[in-house]
Amino acid sequence: MFLILGLVIVFAAILILRPWQRRGCRWREDRRALADGRVLHVCAACGAELALPRGRSPKHCLAGAQK
């Protein structure tokens, strides 16, 4: 009985905390320059893509903006 109650509590905690939605963006720079000299940044967590001028990096997480 305690095992079932423990599993229910753990399952409820996982649903309440939703750790899969809090995962921040982890940007990777694609070093091949685009036609206009910008560099493509791709997020390893959510798949977002952002083109910025060379030398700049993304500052904000775009994980919630992909839906």
Side-chain angles (χ1 to χ4, degrees):
M1 184 64 175
F2 289 115
L3 179 64
I4 294 172
L5 181 61
L7 289 174
V8 168
I9 291 172
V10 168
F11 183 72
I14 289 173
L15 286 178
I16 291 170
L17 295 176
R18 297 180 188 226
W20 58 88
Q21 290 184 345
R22 282 196 269 142
R23 186 176 185 178
C25 285
R26 294 187 317 271
W27 296 101
R28 304 291 185 252
E29 181 177 322
D30 186 356
R31 297 206 181 261
R32 294 173 290 171
L34 298 175
D36 57 359
R38 295 182 300 162
V39 177
L40 185 66
H41 295 269
V42 180
C43 175
C46 70
E49 294 181 349
L50 189 61
L52 294 172
R54 187 176 302 279
R56 291 190 53 203
S57 61
K59 304 287 186 214
H60 302 289
C61 179
L62 300 175
Q66 280 290 316
K67 294 183 182 180

